[in-house]
Amino acid sequence: MTEERKPPKGGYPYYPPWPMMPQPYPYGYPPMALTAEDELRMLEAYRDMLQAQREALEREMEAIEERINELRGMVEEGAPTPPQPPYPAWGPPFFWTPPSMTPEQERMTLEQQAEALERQIEAIKKRLEELRKGES
């Protein structure tokens, strides 16, 4: 008679027995216990980031409100609309380029970009100061 084959201990033939089987960590590294100071710094940094995003959104909303009010005023006054470029009813062809901005629109765009860059520079300087204070 032939000998009956049994699977190795530990389950399916590819798995070693339980005590020797490694336990995989999520994300490939062991969980890290944060100290209270580490977690506090992390949460404060996250709060600062969210606050900066909130301020940016509020500024953007204010600019949008100003533009809405400006457009409502133009509609109420009956101001003429700028001419639209001619193109087929199914949409502009792929080589169509939008009309260039007016000097006023370009100035507003450049001012907004300058403000955004100034805010980024301020945030970088603030972070550098924090790092310098931490080294001392």
Side-chain angles (χ1 to χ4, degrees):
M1 296 255 148
T2 60
E3 185 178 316
E4 185 177 336
R5 299 182 82 190
K6 295 181 181 177
K9 290 183 180 178
Y12 196 69
Y14 304 110
Y15 298 130
W18 174 252
M20 295 169 34
M21 186 160 67
Q23 295 298 311
Y25 295 114
Y27 311 115
Y29 53 87
M32 184 172 62
L34 293 176
T35 64
E37 294 85 15
D38 290 338
E39 188 173 1
L40 179 65
R41 277 195 306 265
M42 178 186 70
L43 291 175
E44 286 174 344
Y46 187 58
R47 181 195 61 205
D48 293 343
M49 181 188 72
L50 291 175
Q51 182 65 29
Q53 289 177 354
R54 175 190 288 164
E55 291 169 1
L57 287 173
E58 287 173 355
R59 283 190 298 270
E60 191 173 347
M61 288 173 59
E62 288 171 4
I64 289 171
E65 288 293 330
E66 288 176 13
R67 181 66 179 152
I68 287 172
N69 292 334
E70 180 183 330
L71 290 173
R72 281 189 181 143
M74 290 173 62
V75 168
E76 289 172 0
E77 292 173 6
T81 58
Q84 298 295 317
Y87 52 82
W90 58 85
F94 68 92
F95 54 83
W96 177 80
T97 56
S100 61
M101 292 189 285
T102 64
E104 177 69 20
Q105 290 172 331
E106 186 176 6
R107 184 184 58 78
M108 288 176 55
T109 301
L110 291 174
E111 286 176 355
Q112 290 173 351
Q113 289 175 352
E115 289 175 9
L117 290 172
E118 287 172 1
R119 287 191 302 271
Q120 290 177 353
I121 289 171
E122 289 173 9
I124 290 170
K125 286 180 179 178
K126 180 181 174 184
R127 182 64 181 144
L128 284 172
E129 285 297 319
E130 290 175 1
L131 290 173
R132 286 184 186 125
K133 290 178 182 175
E135 291 175 357
S136 302

